[in-house]
Amino acid sequence: MTPPTAAVPTATYRLQLQPDFTFADAEAAVPRLAALGVSHLHLSPVLQAAPGSTHGYDVVDHTRVSEELGGEEGLRALSRTARAHGLGLILDTVPNHMAVPVPEHLSRPLWSVLREGTDSAYARWFDIDWAVLDGRLLMPVLGAPLDEVLDRLTVEDDPALGEPVLRYYDHAFPLRADTEGLPLRELLDAQWYRLAHWREARTDLNYRRFFTISDLIAVRVEDPEVFDATHAKLLELLRDGVADGLRIDHPDGLADPAGYLRRLAAASDGRWTVVEKILGHDERLPADWACAGTTGYDALDRVDGLFADPAGVERITANYADFTGQEADRGGEWGPTARRAAYKIVTQDLAAEVSRLGRTAARALPGHDPAVLRRAIRELLVRLPVYRPYVVPGQDAPAEAVTLLETAAREAGVPAAAEIRDLALGADAGFAVRFAQVASALHAKAVEDTAFYRWYPLLPLNEVGRDPAHPTTTPEEFHAFCAHLQRDWPTTGTVLSTHDTKRSADVRARLAAISEHPALWRSWLRRESDHLRSYFTRTGIELVDRHAEYLAWQYAVVFCSYAAEEVVASTLLKSEREAGLRTSWTEQDTAYEKRLDTFARELITGPTYYATADISRAIAEPSRVNRLGAVLLQLTMPGVPDIYQGDEHPQLLLVDPDNRRPYQPADRRDGPKELVTTTALLLRREHPDWFGAEATYEPLHATGPAAAHCLAFARTGRSVTAVTRLSHGLELAGGWGGTELTLPPGDWTDRLTGTHHRGTVPVADLFATHPVALLTS
């Protein structure tokens, strides 16, 4: 008999499916993952994506399971094998957008719109502003202005499609009826689309997209017919028992996230569903969202914050500003840097989106200068501290949205700010919806994809879900956060590493240890920088500036004993292009990029290779303590933990593509990290009621001189978690001394060591073997 799977996971394990890791590969890994202790496999998107997709978020066909991954039968076979081992499946899905593929006919809905325009049965699928560009859809695919590439455009019959197409390299576009025989210029003018240089997307694009990515076109899933068409296959997989729950990607891009989640909950019979909602530090998930909670970046923020020393972060930040000499708004200080990045994105990358908002505002406010309205829109957008307000036209705006927009309008202090505020609060339905959607794109691009790559005193502060203005977490704050989760969102997700984190949890744990050594970091950095620059000068190697150098040294500390020059060099290049200060994706400075590449490789493999010994020795033990503490907290705090592929072992991963490599199961079963991970996961699976929706969370407080270095809590009176934090400071203070922890009544056994405890226990005894303890009564 096939073991049943739980309606709510006890823990999930994320697998990145791709052509090099298919359903069959996942099926082969099932026995090992079942033994690890998770209850469900969490699969990256499974629907048919663009050819060669390594992530699956570029869907081209919502009606089919990806053939490259093994097709629907491959997915169903994986499900059968998983269930035979007691595991279920959680499916990741993206309702906000789908691909603009190459060739374009791979997306039947888009192909129809390109051929038939507003007459297409699929015209309602996409968020297109047909009122501009003479009622045509801009397709920014050309490598140069149209006049320069006319000779690259040809009209030819496509036997496979059974119709003529307009071809540009690998691109193929359908032709409007009765236009095939026209001269090329007339033919181009007669289509429902306008081919354009890719740079025109910034200013002239007339369809909503995912952030600033023009080959991901937004889908109007708020339309019931579009919802039904794009979710039918997923819902079928749920009904058939192939899968048990869902992860919803980027709900902030939707017109009405709350309405979408209500419809989804009804259609899926309330299956366990979490949303990739990145919350501001003090922001709360809207209470009316019909889901189990978030994917867990809010938990990542609190856990990471526990292992950063507040005084050390302050000193390191000051040293960073002194070392780099960066201007305040170009990476010198966080606040000014984030604001300047927001202005850059809203005036350049999202200029087309702001123009569309401006046109909507001008129709609603006909007596106002359009330029004044556009400025007011920009000034409000850059002042929103969170992803977006949640306003549903026709309903009273939530108090949080009112406060948010009133504050932004007041701080903007420009003409028409109040009028734009009112439109965004629902005075104009179309404006309110799109203002929120643009706000989410702006926040993501300005903060995570720009400012995080410009300001980096300590890289763990610059992680998805984190706020550099709130770099640390006190034990009291952590306990309050956990109490909130257990009360309001007890089955929400929690994470430490994901396919979107810029650095894996183990990288962050290692770098967080630097916060306990600010003086050593300062002296070591200056000494080694001087040595490096002297060596480069002697050998004729060109230097990079101290801002880029500072970033590189942090990676050198992490990868000092690994053959990692390729990943470090590629990550530094991506960081510099994202920052856009010295080079960028669209305006590449090839000479600088070559200099950066040489610098990175010399730093990792050249004479400076051994220079990291001092700092590496100093942070080795604190980073181990941080790593184990973070893992045990995530696995036993309120919520459903998600383990990223391979993260049960020490794993040093940087931003994609590094962290999206095909999963390679490890045969080894050794080391404290796997011991902690497996022990906690098996305990959760064995006693789900201790950690689930009906469980309790009770803070435990150590007493004595080192009490602040011990964080502990009980779950439902049956399990106790205790971890060490800021271990170098603990060592400097003389160790645990007379510090004690009083356990709940009863006899307790440490699942990690077999040691027995009762009553009030010296913390030194509790942590005699490991810097963490997991006790059960």
Side-chain angles (χ1 to χ4, degrees):
M1 179 178 177
T2 300
T5 57
V8 175
T10 61
T12 61
Y13 193 94
R14 171 77 175 200
L15 291 173
Q16 287 296 109
L17 301 169
Q18 50 191 289
D20 290 332
F21 188 82
T22 65
F23 298 137
D25 297 313
E27 188 176 356
V30 162
R32 183 195 174 280
L33 297 179
L36 187 63
V38 299
S39 66
H40 288 71
L41 303 183
H42 169 197
L43 306 181
S44 59
V46 301
L47 297 181
Q48 185 63 53
S53 176
T54 58
H55 52 78
Y57 293 107
D58 45 356
V59 176
V60 296
D61 188 346
H62 292 88
T63 68
R64 292 189 294 136
V65 173
S66 171
E67 296 298 335
E68 287 183 288
L69 299 180
E72 186 165 337
E73 182 47 45
L75 176 59
R76 289 177 179 267
L78 168 59
S79 176
R80 289 191 294 270
T81 299
R83 291 193 184 284
H85 287 78
L87 301 182
L89 301 183
I90 304 298
L91 303 182
D92 192 350
T93 188
V94 52
N96 178 69
H97 56 264
M98 61 188 300
V100 179
V102 181
E104 285 69 12
H105 69 77
L106 293 174
S107 172
R108 186 163 61 106
L110 180 62
W111 187 258
S112 173
V113 171
L114 292 171
R115 183 201 289 119
E116 300 165 29
T118 55
D119 295 331
S120 167
Y122 293 98
R124 65 194 303 170
W125 275 47
F126 304 109
D127 191 356
I128 301 169
D129 187 357
W130 293 103
V132 296
L133 301 180
D134 299 320
R136 295 194 291 165
L137 177 62
L138 188 80
M139 296 300 291
V141 300
L142 304 179
L146 178 61
D147 287 343
E148 299 178 23
V149 297
L150 270 177
D151 60 343
R152 304 287 198 276
L153 300 173
T154 58
V155 176
E156 56 190 67
D157 288 324
D158 189 315
L161 296 174
E163 62 180 292
V165 299
L166 175 64
R167 193 170 298 280
Y168 173 72
Y169 292 105
D170 292 335
H171 294 275
F173 298 92
L175 298 181
R176 191 172 180 173
D178 303 321
T179 64
E180 177 184 358
L182 295 174
L184 183 58
R185 273 289 191 179
E186 293 182 31
L187 180 143
L188 291 172
D189 291 340
Q191 304 310 314
W192 282 104
Y193 51 85
R194 178 165 75 82
L195 302 186
H197 186 198
W198 61 268
R199 290 184 183 275
E200 292 185 46
R202 275 189 175 182
T203 54
D204 296 340
L205 197 71
N206 63 335
Y207 61 83
R208 188 167 59 84
R209 52 188 167 166
F210 173 64
F211 296 163
T212 58
I213 303 174
S214 299
D215 55 7
L216 293 175
I217 185 170
V219 175
R220 295 185 61 252
V221 75
E222 64 271 18
D223 185 312
E225 291 186 21
V226 178
F227 175 93
D228 291 343
T230 55
H231 287 68
K233 178 55 67 176
L234 287 172
L235 295 172
E236 175 191 328
L237 294 171
L238 291 174
R239 285 194 304 271
D240 289 355
V242 176
D244 303 279
L246 298 170
R247 173 198 184 270
I248 306 302
D249 187 75
H250 188 46
D252 279 333
L254 303 179
D256 177 12
Y260 167 80
L261 290 170
R262 283 194 300 272
R263 184 176 289 120
L264 181 64
S268 67
D269 293 328
R271 300 298 184 102
W272 184 80
T273 298
V274 289
V275 295
E276 189 217 19
K277 168 59 188 166
I278 299 171
L279 295 164
H281 185 77
D282 297 319
E283 186 182 14
R284 291 286 181 257
L285 190 67
D288 63 344
W289 282 21
C291 63
T294 75
T295 54
Y297 287 112
D298 46 345
L300 179 156
D301 175 46
R302 271 57 173 207
V303 171
D304 271 19
L306 282 169
F307 299 100
D309 181 77
V313 168
E314 186 175 346
R315 292 176 63 185
I316 286 171
T317 301
N319 175 52
Y320 157 82
D322 183 49
F323 181 91
T324 64
Q326 285 295 106
E327 298 173 36
D329 63 353
R330 292 173 62 84
E333 298 177 19
W334 170 247
T337 295
R339 179 60 57 84
R340 178 171 180 148
Y343 273 115
K344 182 257 184 187
I345 298 297
V346 81
T347 57
Q348 298 179 29
D349 302 69
L350 294 175
E353 284 77 3
V354 171
S355 293
R356 184 175 182 181
L357 281 173
R359 291 191 295 271
T360 305
R363 288 193 294 269
L365 303 167
H368 289 72
D369 182 344
V372 171
L373 294 176
R374 288 194 298 272
R375 183 189 178 199
I377 290 167
R378 290 192 295 267
E379 294 297 332
L380 262 69
L381 284 170
V382 300
R383 285 170 172 78
L384 296 183
V386 296
Y387 262 61
R388 58 171 281 178
Y390 297 101
V391 176
V392 179
Q395 300 179 16
D396 291 338
E400 297 87 351
V402 174
T403 300
L404 188 73
L405 287 160
E406 285 184 345
T407 301
R410 183 173 61 254
E411 292 179 352
V414 297
E419 288 83 353
I420 295 301
R421 172 203 64 201
D422 292 342
L423 295 183
L425 286 171
D428 183 277
F431 184 91
V433 167
R434 291 194 177 88
F435 181 89
Q437 292 169 322
V438 174
S440 72
L442 170 62
H443 193 85
K445 294 302 296 180
V447 176
E448 294 166 25
D449 292 345
T450 305
F452 274 5
Y453 289 104
R454 293 182 174 184
W455 182 91
Y456 35 74
L458 196 60
L459 286 172
L461 309 185
N462 297 17
E463 190 50 83
V464 182
R466 300 221 63 200
D467 180 357
H470 298 88
T472 61
T473 306
T474 67
E476 294 74 21
E477 289 170 336
F478 181 80
H479 289 315
F481 174 73
C482 288
H484 154 67
L485 289 189
Q486 188 61 46
R487 181 184 66 246
D488 298 335
W489 303 98
T491 59
T492 187
T494 67
V495 294
L496 291 181
S497 298
T498 76
H499 61 289
D500 278 333
T501 45
K502 300 182 185 303
R503 287 154 287 273
S504 66
D506 288 345
V507 172
R508 302 197 309 276
R510 187 168 177 81
L511 289 172
I514 295 174
S515 71
E516 296 192 70
H517 293 274
L520 175 62
W521 173 248
R522 177 186 172 87
S523 61
W524 173 85
L525 183 65
R526 291 187 176 277
R527 183 188 73 225
E528 297 308 327
S529 176
D530 288 345
H531 289 169
L532 178 71
R533 288 176 173 273
S534 176
Y535 165 72
F536 273 33
T537 300
R538 292 196 313 271
T539 56
I541 300 174
E542 290 189 80
L543 294 164
V544 296
D545 64 38
R546 287 188 180 274
H547 189 220
E549 181 190 345
Y550 187 97
L551 175 62
W553 279 116
Q554 292 188 68
Y555 287 129
V557 167
V558 174
F559 293 100
C560 59
S561 58
Y562 299 86
E565 64 271 18
E566 287 292 337
V567 68
V568 171
S570 63
T571 298
L572 283 176
L573 175 59
K574 177 171 182 171
S575 299
E576 289 290 270
R577 286 180 175 176
E578 293 283 11
L581 294 175
R582 291 166 284 262
T583 188
S584 71
W585 295 106
T586 57
E587 304 290 343
Q588 295 172 14
D589 183 335
T590 55
Y592 173 77
E593 292 185 355
K594 182 178 180 181
R595 191 161 73 247
L596 182 71
D597 184 79
T598 301
F599 175 84
R601 294 174 189 278
E602 286 289 334
L603 188 66
I604 299 299
T605 63
T608 60
Y609 174 84
Y610 299 102
T612 57
D614 291 351
I615 193 73
S616 294
R617 279 196 298 267
I619 66 173
E621 179 60 16
S623 65
R624 182 183 76 91
V625 173
N626 293 351
R627 180 173 66 246
L628 296 181
V631 169
L632 187 57
L633 288 180
Q634 187 222 355
L635 296 182
T636 56
M637 68 186 289
V640 175
D642 183 56
I643 294 86
Y644 192 61
Q645 57 182 33
D647 226 24
E648 64 272 27
H649 302 293
Q651 183 163 243
L652 302 177
L653 297 177
L654 300 181
V655 72
D656 70 281
D658 185 47
N659 65 354
R660 297 186 184 182
R661 291 177 291 186
Y663 174 56
Q664 295 181 328
D667 293 330
R668 67 186 189 279
R669 287 187 172 277
D670 56 7
K673 187 180 182 184
E674 184 170 9
L675 170 66
V676 170
T677 302
T678 305
T679 302
L681 289 174
L682 290 172
L683 180 63
R684 289 186 69 103
R685 195 166 70 184
E686 181 182 349
H687 299 288
D689 53 317
W690 295 5
F691 302 95
E694 303 304 318
T696 61
Y697 177 89
E698 302 92 25
L700 300 178
H701 302 287
T703 58
H709 295 278
C710 175
L711 186 137
F713 54 81
R715 301 302 313 276
T716 319
R718 304 302 303 277
S719 168
V720 167
T721 293
V723 306
T724 305
R725 57 185 295 269
L726 307 182
S727 59
H728 179 63
L730 172 66
E731 181 184 6
L732 292 179
W736 290 112
T739 306
E740 298 176 325
L741 181 68
T742 299
L743 300 174
D747 295 316
W748 295 85
T749 302
D750 188 341
R751 290 271 182 138
L752 303 176
T753 64
T755 306
H756 300 287
H757 300 283
R758 182 181 180 86
T760 299
V761 182
V763 174
D765 293 350
L766 199 63
F767 296 141
T769 304
H770 301 292
V772 300
L774 177 58
L775 314 178
T776 56
S777 64

